[in-house]
Amino acid sequence: QVQLVESGGGLVQAGGSLRLSCAASGRTFSSSGMGWFRQAPGKEREFVAAIRMSDGTTYYADSVKGRFTISRGNAKNTVYLQMNSLKPDDTAVYYCAAALYELGSYEYWGQGTQVTVSS
């Protein structure tokens, strides 16, 4: 059994910053990549950022490029999302995901952490 646990969400004013963390626990596994997704009320879940664990290559949605930074932690299967210059449109539940074999195909998902950006 694998659990992904997100933390770091909260309420912040527009222009502020938050740092999300995601750590895996349970059965030992090696992920090929990890990513962040978000889902706003009434909208579909959307891709935010991803990182290839082997070489640190990163990928971002156009809507967050230049504002968000995804990074690997020192612990295995740990990933962070630094979010700067937050906008009200960034308000959503943020989910962490892990891909075992191919980045983009995620086998494990966290429960999500709420990020609310006030104007």
Side-chain angles (χ1 to χ4, degrees):
Q1 191 81 358
V2 172
Q3 292 86 36
L4 298 182
V5 179
E6 304 98 335
S7 61
L11 173 64
V12 65
Q13 288 188 332
S17 299
L18 282 175
R19 187 188 192 218
L20 304 184
S21 301
C22 174
S25 64
R27 182 175 65 85
T28 300
F29 69 99
S30 293
S31 58
S32 64
M34 296 186 74
W36 288 96
F37 292 74
R38 67 187 181 186
Q39 186 168 20
K43 295 186 178 181
E44 294 186 353
R45 187 176 298 186
E46 64 175 2
F47 169 77
V48 174
I51 186 166
R52 191 182 306 277
M53 303 305 272
S54 59
D55 61 8
T57 301
T58 57
Y59 306 87
Y60 295 96
D62 288 343
S63 59
V64 307
K65 277 182 184 176
R67 300 188 298 122
F68 291 11
T69 303
I70 187 171
S71 60
R72 298 171 293 182
N74 291 329
K76 195 174 184 180
N77 298 322
T78 300
V79 66
Y80 304 101
L81 185 68
Q82 178 67 43
M83 305 185 294
N84 298 329
S85 302
L86 283 161
K87 306 174 182 179
D89 284 349
D90 295 318
T91 295
V93 177
Y94 283 71
Y95 298 90
C96 172
L100 292 180
Y101 307 109
E102 180 180 352
L103 192 61
S105 179
Y106 298 93
E107 284 81 10
Y108 301 120
W109 292 83
Q111 292 300 306
T113 185
Q114 177 70 46
V115 171
T116 303
V117 184
S118 63
S119 57

